[in-house]
Amino acid sequence: MPAPSTPTTDPLDRFSEPTRAWFRAAFAEPTPAQTGAWEAIAGGGHALVVAPTGSGKTLAAFLWALDGLAASARPSAGET
C-alpha cells in the first residue's frame, strides 16, 4: 500500500493488489461516498459518511479495515 499521504488519482491505489482486483471485479467504480471516506481515512482523519442507502458507506469502512488486516504481518506459529 502507498503511504497515506501519497497523492493518487485512483482511489483504489490506496489498497493492496488483491483488494483492488476484487473490487474491480465486483464493482464498476467506487462511489463518491467511498472515495471521500478513503481519502479521509488515508489522511489519518476520522470519517463520518453521510450518504443515501446503497451508496457504499459500509463497504467503505469495512474494506479499509479488511485490507489492512490482510496486508498486515501474520504472527509466527506459537505466537499469540
Side-chain angles (χ1 to χ4, degrees):
M1 258 190 292
S5 60
T6 302
T8 180
T9 56
D10 182 353
L12 294 174
D13 285 347
R14 293 183 166 100
F15 294 97
S16 65
E17 180 53 39
T19 300
R20 289 192 305 264
W22 172 82
F23 193 97
R24 288 182 177 128
F27 302 99
E29 62 185 11
T31 66
Q34 292 165 337
T35 300
W38 296 333
E39 184 176 328
I41 295 167
H46 297 280
L48 174 62
V49 183
V50 179
T53 299
S55 61
K57 298 180 300 288
T58 303
L59 181 58
F62 281 115
L63 190 64
W64 189 271
L66 292 173
D67 185 65
L69 286 172
S72 65
R74 292 182 173 81
S76 300
E79 289 184 5
T80 56

